[in-house]
Amino acid sequence: MVKIGDIELGEFPLLLAPMEDVSDPPFRALCKEQGADVVYTEFVSSEGLIRNAAKSVMKLDIYEKERPVGIQIFGANIESMLQTIDIVEKSKPDIIDINFGCPVKKVVSKGAGAGILKDICLMEKLTAEMVKRTNLPVTVKTRLGWDHDSIKIVEVAERLQDVGIKSIAIHGRTRAQMYKGNADWKPIAEVKNNPRMHIPVFGNGDVNTPEMAVKMRDDYGLDGAMIGRATIGNPWFFKQVKHFFETGEHYRPITMQERVEAARRHLQMSIDWKGELLGVFETRRHYTNYFKGIPDFKPHRMKMVTSDASEDVFAAFNEALEKFGDHQFA
């Protein structure tokens, strides 16, 4: 049984990775329904939150049906991060996660996200202070290192564990790699195999098929998988992986009816949560994957991603279902 603090997660939990403009409440709800064991919010800027920036505050919205849910925060200023914990606690998350892995330049340039990998002592000190500030379990998501020549993830994980984090998720790339090349899970396995480590070690990066999840579990011995890009427009991925774990066979193809129903619900929940304009715009990125593998679908997809009015997008869903509803797609 894998546990984060007192939260029991099963034998090999699947975690929805925090993704900017993706892992919002509507998408998290869909992933939870399809088998995600833990979901994380989009990452929240500590500086934005203490200044009451509307976008940052909105990211703190969580709902009972999502639990267990973690709120992920990023920043490099200790005082700001501690103030952020006080604000975040009011949303009553189950977990507070620290982002030490975001490779985006505007985050890294301020010493936050993966930028802090250049100052391991600050990373440790900041984490220690945050753990002291809250009774909630504090977890960390990070990368292997700043670049290939500075990979010290075994030491880093041990130091963070020693100051009190309850789990660590490691993306198998350095900051220098961004998202290029293949994720390297060997250093993550070295963290797990360190005899001093006793907290869960989750792998992240390139878990894009059920077989890869099995490999992470069986060949690398990790405690669970944190999954990001493979879930975009495919909340069923969690169900597909768990079905493969149980049977050794692939889950049946997702029907057109299921795809359209998920896309409809996703759009409607997004509109209900963030309004018509943003709801329509920010759901577009999912449609390519919702309808992946369907021949001659481009005209329908173009309507979905270029229409500014939700009624036109809903109409495009209906047209697609009418045209392809009886077909099966692998």
Side-chain angles (χ1 to χ4, degrees), residues 42-263:
E42 304 166 79
F43 51 89
V44 182
S45 163
S46 59
E47 300 298 332
L49 203 55
I50 65 175
R51 287 166 176 74
N52 206 34
K55 187 170 184 181
S56 295
V57 172
M58 192 175 182
K59 290 177 182 177
L60 299 184
D61 287 355
I62 58 177
Y63 300 90
E64 286 302 313
K65 62 187 174 184
E66 301 180 53
R67 296 190 185 280
V69 57
I71 291 180
Q72 189 187 74
I73 55 180
F74 73 93
N77 180 281
I78 292 179
E79 190 52 44
S80 296
M81 291 288 270
L82 294 180
Q83 288 181 52
T84 298
I85 281 199
D86 298 340
I87 298 168
V88 163
E89 281 187 329
K90 294 174 184 175
S91 293
K92 296 182 169 57
D94 301 289
I95 298 162
I96 292 178
D97 190 70
I98 313 173
N99 182 313
F100 288 147
C102 178
V104 175
K105 186 176 181 180
K106 68 178 181 180
V107 173
V108 168
S109 64
K110 296 173 183 175
I116 206 167
L117 286 164
K118 292 194 286 186
D119 190 344
I120 303 304
C121 289
L122 175 61
M123 188 183 191
E124 180 182 8
K125 183 178 180 183
L126 191 155
T127 304
E129 293 302 315
M130 292 180 71
V131 169
K132 290 177 193 171
R133 189 75 161 216
T134 182
N135 291 321
L136 290 170
V138 174
T139 62
V140 161
K141 181 172 190 282
T142 189
R143 286 181 170 239
L144 299 180
W146 177 254
D147 56 25
H148 181 74
D149 297 325
S150 61
I151 295 176
K152 300 177 181 176
I153 191 60
V154 174
E155 174 195 343
V156 168
E158 190 175 298
R159 288 170 68 171
L160 296 180
Q161 172 186 260
D162 289 350
V163 298
I165 67 168
K166 300 302 183 186
S167 74
I168 187 167
I170 304 168
H171 184 102
R173 291 180 176 88
T174 63
R175 190 274 168 174
Q177 286 179 274
M178 300 295 284
Y179 293 99
K180 296 174 183 174
N182 295 322
D184 184 0
W185 298 346
K186 295 189 197 73
I188 310 176
E190 290 173 17
V191 173
K192 175 61 185 172
N193 292 328
N194 177 0
R196 285 205 66 242
M197 291 297 290
H198 55 79
I199 61 172
V201 177
F202 302 121
N204 176 234
D206 294 355
V207 182
N208 46 30
T209 65
E211 288 87 348
M212 292 297 277
V214 168
K215 188 174 184 180
M216 182 173 275
R217 182 190 68 179
D218 296 349
D219 295 356
Y220 289 82
L222 303 184
D223 293 302
M226 179 175 277
I227 305 164
R229 287 176 290 173
T231 70
I232 298 175
N234 183 23
W236 304 281
F237 189 73
F238 300 97
K239 179 185 286 185
Q240 292 164 344
V241 170
K242 289 186 172 182
H243 181 82
F244 194 81
F245 280 170
E246 292 170 7
T247 67
E249 298 177 356
H250 283 272
Y251 190 70
R252 61 166 176 77
I254 306 301
T255 67
M256 192 65 183
Q257 180 73 49
E258 289 172 309
R259 296 176 191 224
V260 169
E261 179 62 23

Side-chain angles (χ1 to χ4, degrees), residues 10-25:
E11 289 186 5
F12 188 85
L14 305 178
L15 294 68
L16 173 66
M19 292 177 282
E20 182 71 355
D21 295 330
V22 175
S23 57
D24 56 15

